[in-house]
Amino acid sequence: MGAINDFIAGLIPYTEWPMFILLIGGGLFLVLYSRFLPYRFFGHAIAITAGKYDDKNAEGEVSSFQALSAAVAATVGLGNISGVAIAIHDGGPGVVFWIWVTALIGMSIKFYSCSLAIMFRGKDSDGKLQGGPMFYITQGMGKKAKPLATFFCICGLFGFLGVFTANQFTETFMSVVEPTETLWATSEFNWKLLIGIILAVITSFVIFGGLTKIAKVASAIVPFMVLVYLLAVIAVMVMNSELVWPSLKLILTEAWNFKTVVTGGFWGLVIIGIRRAMFSNEAGLGSAPMYHGQSKNNEPIKEGLVAMLGPFIDTIMVCTFTAVVIILSGAYLEEGSGIVMTLNAFRTTLFGMGDELLMIIVSAFALSTLFTYSYYGVKSLSFLTNARIGRWYNVYFVLMIVFAAIASLELVKNLIDLSYALMVIPNMIAVLYLAPKVNKASKKYFAQLKNEKA
């Protein structure tokens, strides 16, 4: 594992500039090119999600709300609760500011990419309607761009593994329950292996049931768990209200700390923020368009507007709340990264019981993320081969859950960071190339909306 980790860590620096240019440079271009459209129609996006503009005759497998729930299920969760802690551990409180910047830009990227997911839908070898980067690359850019779609799918075979979630859930269980002392006196390795096997078995029951089952489970669990988590965080902030503003102030002042102790200095700080924001909300990554491409919606712009709420919910809201709790509790000054830091923050601020509550929340988030991620991998393998072979991805996915439970956080984090950075390249090239088509469709959609209201 050490050798694999060293190899992956050695490749990551080469992906930093392409990721930065495409995600931040490309994202800023889309913000200006859209004339701030996603932000101007924020209220309209909420109305669409609530089902106000649903078309009962539209093609697709799931509703816009279910597609958003499933996409948010894959993003709200350990990416926010643990990913923010890793970011603060690696880059200090100032990194949160760069997470915000990336998320606001990410709203525009999500709007464009998920509009394209409906605009260029394809069918798999089973004749089922599909959407996602591989389809808007091959259909929107033409057959000559197929190598880009293939490259995206190959990286997706690794990027869409539930390894980070399985690893951080195992850490949570080991930290809160301390099973070697409280349940069964055996080695830590044996416990981690056992947790991995149990997680793999539970995940198998859902993922072999297909998308509709995943969407139903996700839309039932996620909104409730997000609410419980937000209430817990707000309770901490109310009880420590005098520390909230100093925590936010620290984020803003440290964001511009050019003498920062972060590896790589100020540039390192920005890169950590971008990486963790992308891990939190997946804007630019190309995963959400696979879900939104399945939505019962024939209007690309409507789906794009629903999708752009994702980064706002899971990064601007959930990540900020998590960061404030970690900073005001002082947990970021202690040893320990990832979920352990967040657990310490909750333990100190919620009467010593916060870690148990977080354990329950993390369990729900971990399972919903595992259920949704496997679907992305199946789509990637199906595109590279066919739908029949694609289903075998689930077997590989389940085995890798066991591997992740016993692997180090460093290895899992590096594997995801490398895969994500590589997936951004083909996806953002396609989104930027096809952006004029989205603008043209937007003009038509909003003109129509104006006429309907008149």
Side-chain angles (χ1 to χ4, degrees):
M1 283 193 190
I4 296 169
N5 187 39
D6 293 344
F7 173 72
I8 294 169
L11 294 174
I12 287 176
Y14 298 105
T15 64
E16 283 174 359
W17 274 108
M19 179 186 73
F20 181 78
I21 292 163
L22 287 165
L23 210 59
I24 301 302
L28 279 171
F29 167 77
L30 293 175
V31 169
L32 299 171
Y33 189 54
S34 70
R35 294 182 185 163
F36 303 95
L37 187 146
Y39 320 104
R40 288 189 288 124
F41 289 95
F42 195 85
H44 181 58
I46 293 169
I48 298 166
T49 311
K52 198 176 167 187
Y53 296 91
D54 277 1
D55 176 3
K56 289 178 176 59
N57 304 317
E59 285 186 283
E61 277 192 68
V62 290
S63 71
S64 292
F65 173 71
Q66 282 181 321
L68 181 67
S69 285
V72 169
T75 55
V76 170
L78 288 159
N80 311 70
I81 297 173
S82 164
V84 173
I86 290 172
I88 294 171
H89 175 269
D90 293 351
V95 81
V96 179
F97 176 80
W98 298 104
I99 289 177
W100 292 339
V101 170
T102 310
L104 287 170
I105 293 170
M107 287 172 73
S108 253
I109 297 173
K110 274 259 173 99
F111 167 70
Y112 275 91
S113 59
C114 294
S115 294
L116 289 169
I118 296 286
M119 204 178 280
F120 296 102
R121 290 206 261 205
K123 287 193 171 160
D124 63 16
S125 57
D126 280 355
K128 280 189 179 170
L129 204 62
Q130 301 292 350
M134 50 284 233
F135 292 98
Y136 55 71
I137 289 172
T138 48
Q139 293 185 22
M141 297 173 79
K143 289 278 179 263
K144 64 183 185 300
K146 194 166 181 192
L148 271 184
T150 305
F151 179 72
F152 173 84
C153 289
I154 290 168
C155 297
L157 299 179
F158 301 96
F160 294 137
L161 289 168
V163 287
F164 181 82
T165 299
N167 177 278
Q168 290 295 277
F169 174 81
T170 307
E171 282 297 318
T172 308
F173 188 85
M174 296 300 290
S175 180
V176 175
V177 179
E178 295 176 341
T180 49
E181 290 164 34
T182 56
L183 296 174
W184 174 38
T186 183
S187 70
E188 199 171 291
F189 176 84
N190 284 350
W191 262 110
K192 286 184 174 181
L193 187 63
L194 182 64
I195 295 163
I197 291 166
I198 292 168
L199 260 186
V201 170
I202 295 169
T203 306
S204 301
F205 282 121
V206 176
I207 65 174
F208 290 107
L211 172 69
T212 359
K213 207 171 201 178
I214 295 171
K216 272 183 190 161
V217 174
S219 51
I221 298 176
V222 174
F224 176 69
M225 274 331 208
V226 170
L227 184 67
V228 172
Y229 181 67
L230 291 181
L231 288 173
V233 172
I234 290 163
V236 171
M237 288 163 74
V238 167
M239 288 187 294
N240 300 275
S241 54
E242 72 286 356
L243 298 170
V244 173
W245 175 240
S247 300
L248 291 168
K249 209 168 156 189
L250 189 66
I251 290 170
L252 294 169
T253 52
E254 285 295 305
W256 302 98
N257 182 357
F258 289 91
K259 292 176 184 158
T260 181
V261 292
V262 182
T263 320
F266 181 69
W267 166 245
L269 179 78
V270 176
I271 283 292
I272 293 165
I274 295 168
R275 279 198 193 289
R276 297 280 75 84
M278 180 171 65
F279 183 61
S280 163
N281 63 54
E282 296 175 5
L285 184 64
S287 53
M290 292 193 205
Y291 261 111
H292 287 282
Q294 303 287 97
S295 193
K296 280 180 188 159
N297 194 350
N298 290 335
E299 177 45 71
I301 304 307
K302 270 199 327 199
E303 201 58 41
L305 287 167
V306 169
M308 68 100 183
L309 294 173
F312 184 84
I313 297 165
D314 63 44
T315 306
I316 303 293
M317 284 172 64
V318 183
C319 283
T320 304
F321 288 163
T322 306
V324 168
V325 170
I326 288 170
I327 295 166
L328 69 78
S329 69
Y332 75 102
L333 299 167
E334 295 168 21
E335 270 304 302
S337 180
I339 198 75
V340 176
M341 186 192 282
T342 317
L343 285 165
N344 290 339
F346 271 78
R347 190 182 291 128
T348 46
T349 51
L350 274 179
F351 320 108
M353 294 177 344
D355 52 340
E356 278 94 348
L357 175 66
L358 192 62
M359 164 93 197
I360 296 163
I361 295 166
V362 162
S363 304
F365 281 160
L367 290 170
S368 67
T369 305
L370 289 174
F371 300 161
T372 45
Y373 254 50
S374 64
Y375 175 74
Y376 297 145
V378 168
K379 294 295 152 221
S380 299
L381 186 57
S382 297
F383 183 82
L384 293 169
T385 55
N386 60 49
R388 197 169 41 82
I389 295 172
R391 291 186 199 104
W392 284 94
Y393 181 85
N394 283 332
V395 177
Y396 158 63
F397 182 88
V398 165
L399 292 172
M400 287 300 281
I401 289 175
V402 182
F403 164 79
I406 54 174
S408 71
L409 170 60
E410 201 58 32
L411 169 58
V412 163
K413 189 177 77 173
N414 285 340
L415 175 67
I416 295 298
D417 280 348
L418 179 66
S419 307
Y420 277 19
L422 292 173
M423 285 157 75
V424 162
I425 299 167
N427 182 51
M428 283 304 293
I429 289 170
V431 171
L432 290 165
Y433 181 86
L434 297 167
K437 294 188 187 297
V438 178
N439 275 18
K440 196 178 166 188
S442 298
K443 216 172 260 179
K444 193 178 156 193
Y445 173 75
F446 288 110
Q448 209 176 320
L449 197 71
K450 214 174 185 180
N451 291 340
E452 280 170 20
K453 283 183 178 173

